[in-house]
Amino acid sequence: MKVLVIGTGAREHALCRSLSLDPDVTALHCAPGNAGIAEVAELHQVDALDGKAVAALAGRLEADLVVVGPEAPLVAGVADAVREAGIPVFGPSGQAAQLEGSKAFAKDVMAEAGVPTARSYVCTTAEEAAEALDAFGAPYVVKDDGLAAGKGVVVTDDLEAAKAHAAGCERVVIEEFLDGPEVSLFAITDGRTVVPLQPAQDFKRALDGDQGPNTGGMGAYSPLPWADPKLVEEVLETVLQPTVDELRRRGTPFSGLLYAGLAITSRGVRVIEFNARFGDPETQVVLARLKTPLAGVLLAAAKGTLDDLEPLRWSEDAAVTVVIASHNYPGTPRTGDPITGLDEVAAEDAPHAYVLHAGTKRDGDAIVSAGGRVLSVTATGEDLAAARERAYRAVARVRLDGSQHRTDIAAKAAGANQAEPAGESAEA
């Protein structure tokens, strides 16, 4: 089949890498893509938020499947435009994507479906926000109701900082703090059948030891040696399937990737948030472990035939990804710096370690930084310790002036089968 992937980040590079390894994929395209994706797919320019333009490009390429990566095009209804053109698309409708586009909408769906989540208030005035913050007390969890590119959540003990974040949002969700380690669980669904993937854990804070500001994610690992073996089955039964059933009941069936951000609290599993697409950087480690060819799975979801699919096959290996970010990230990043050492990783560390591009572009013969999160260095190994060692060995070969990365990704889990630091954080 011919496949078109929409997006520019490391998530899309991970998707393209897996699709490029699928023997059923005869042509792979990506729009707009990045410098790394160009090595495995043919790139095209398109406004990813323009559904008609994306559908027209898919038509010209005679694509058999379109995969919409980022959340903004999904919420903008790009998948709807592609479907209306008669082309199978992996990604929910604009209405169903409100599960990520509006946290208030997600809370309403969860309430109707009986899905366990944090108690919350939806506030539109400073007075309402102040009352909600007072009701829950510290630590304060304040979430922008809309999309915020991974930086819409503030978790703080500082009441004034919480009020300031609320004041900067048109509508805000304030909720109780959820204790316990966090888990990201993806599921592929066609609107009825739900096929969970393997769980992962990501790291939202910028600095080692879970210090510093929230980011879009600085690294991830899978599997979770400390998690209950029945976790996936429990989340499927109590979270994923009820949510998909409720959306179908409302007449807005959800087809695509349903991402549950979970807290494993002292009172059981609770949903922190839903996303309507693959998470970044968890996608990098989950797809590194998936042995089943990817294209057929995504096409089955797009066509409504997931119940005919064979059970997914997974590698026993572990995977770790470490994000290399630009100077000053998550503030305004410095861009345009040359990146070197990528050829060394390809020569010395492949196939166990490889580099997925996020914020990069080609400038003549050079590859330069073009965003906040620049690269995801991903590695596999027989266990987390081996995968981690390979990932950081490859990280050490990459040179980007002023760059930053965390040095403790998966450290606790690799060392003692313990969960990483607890506490609620921003969406991926």
Side-chain angles (χ1 to χ4, degrees):
M1 69 180 85
K2 299 176 183 177
V3 183
L4 169 62
V5 177
I6 303 300
T8 63
R11 161 187 48 227
E12 287 75 37
H13 194 177
L15 287 163
C16 285
R17 179 182 182 274
S18 291
L19 290 166
S20 72
L21 298 173
D22 187 332
D24 286 337
V25 175
T26 54
L28 181 58
H29 304 271
C30 186
N34 61 41
I37 295 174
E39 297 176 7
V40 295
E42 183 180 345
L43 301 191
H44 305 268
Q45 283 304 311
V46 77
D47 179 354
L49 297 175
D50 185 338
K52 289 184 178 179
V54 171
L57 174 61
R60 288 198 302 273
L61 297 174
E62 299 180 336
D64 301 298
L65 173 67
V66 175
V67 180
V68 183
E71 61 273 24
L74 290 168
V75 172
V78 167
D80 301 89
V82 176
R83 279 193 190 91
E84 287 166 11
I87 301 169
V89 58
F90 182 81
S93 67
Q95 279 188 300
Q98 286 300 311
L99 202 61
E100 176 170 3
S102 168
K103 291 176 178 60
F105 175 78
K107 287 289 187 183
D108 185 59
V109 170
M110 284 188 272
E112 289 295 321
V115 170
T117 187
R119 293 178 299 124
S120 64
Y121 294 102
V122 179
C123 307
T124 56
T125 68
E127 292 74 21
E128 289 174 352
E131 287 181 18
L133 291 167
D134 183 59
F136 286 130
Y140 305 104
V141 181
V142 186
K143 300 182 174 183
D144 191 333
D145 180 55
L147 295 179
K151 304 182 198 72
V153 178
V154 165
V155 183
T156 180
D157 290 318
D158 185 335
L159 178 58
E160 293 308 312
K163 288 181 177 178
H165 185 62
C169 304
E170 187 172 329
R171 187 160 74 153
V172 69
V173 175
I174 294 172
E175 61 183 39
E176 66 176 329
F177 178 80
L178 296 175
D179 65 329
E182 295 180 20
V183 174
S184 300
L185 185 61
F186 302 161
I188 291 172
T189 178
D190 57 11
R192 289 185 179 274
T193 302
V194 182
V195 178
L197 306 186
Q198 289 293 301
Q201 187 173 62
D202 75 333
F203 295 72
K204 288 293 191 294
R205 299 284 182 175
L207 307 175
D208 286 3
D210 260 15
Q211 301 299 307
N214 271 326
T215 72
M218 295 298 289
Y221 70 93
S222 179
L224 312 181
W226 49 268
D228 186 330
K230 295 182 180 178
L231 175 65
V232 173
E233 181 181 338
E234 177 189 348
V235 175
L236 175 62
E237 292 178 0
T238 63
V239 174
L240 299 170
Q241 192 70 57
T243 300
V244 168
D245 291 345
E246 170 63 18
L247 286 166
R248 187 176 69 253
R249 186 190 69 78
R250 291 176 176 222
T252 55
F254 189 104
S255 169
L257 194 290
L258 178 58
Y259 165 152
L262 309 164
I264 313 302
T265 77
S266 55
R267 293 171 289 125
V269 173
R270 297 288 185 274
V271 175
I272 299 171
E273 63 180 355
F274 284 121
N275 290 334
R277 38 74 198 183
F278 280 102
D280 183 345
E282 300 97 320
T283 301
Q284 289 86 303
V285 292
V286 173
L287 292 186
R289 300 185 57 225
L290 179 64
K291 294 176 72 173
T292 301
L294 182 62
V297 181
L298 303 185
L299 186 63
K303 288 190 168 183
T305 59
L306 269 181
D307 57 344
D308 296 333
L309 201 69
E310 294 288 322
L312 299 182
R313 294 179 292 111
W314 295 93
S315 168
E316 293 295 319
D317 284 355
V320 172
T321 194
V322 180
V323 170
I324 298 176
S326 292
H327 175 75
N328 199 45
Y329 179 78
T332 302
R334 194 173 80 200
T335 59
D337 289 313
I339 304 164
T340 60
L342 301 178
D343 292 341
E344 293 175 36
V345 176
E348 302 292 335
D349 301 304
H352 301 297
Y354 47 89
V355 180
L356 298 170
H357 292 230
T360 69
K361 68 178 182 180
R362 187 165 284 282
D363 183 5
D365 292 333
I367 292 176
V368 301
S369 61
R373 290 187 294 174
V374 181
L375 304 167
S376 287
V377 180
T378 305
T380 56
E382 62 182 16
D383 56 26
L384 282 174
R388 193 172 178 279
E389 192 274 331
R390 285 171 172 167
Y392 278 106
R393 185 192 308 156
V395 167
R397 300 188 200 277
V398 178
R399 292 173 292 280
L400 171 61
D401 185 51
S403 67
Q404 55 178 315
H405 65 271
R406 283 184 59 159
T407 66
D408 62 347
I409 303 300
K412 286 190 176 181
N417 284 358
Q418 293 178 348
E420 301 294 338
E424 185 160 357
S425 55
E427 69 268 27

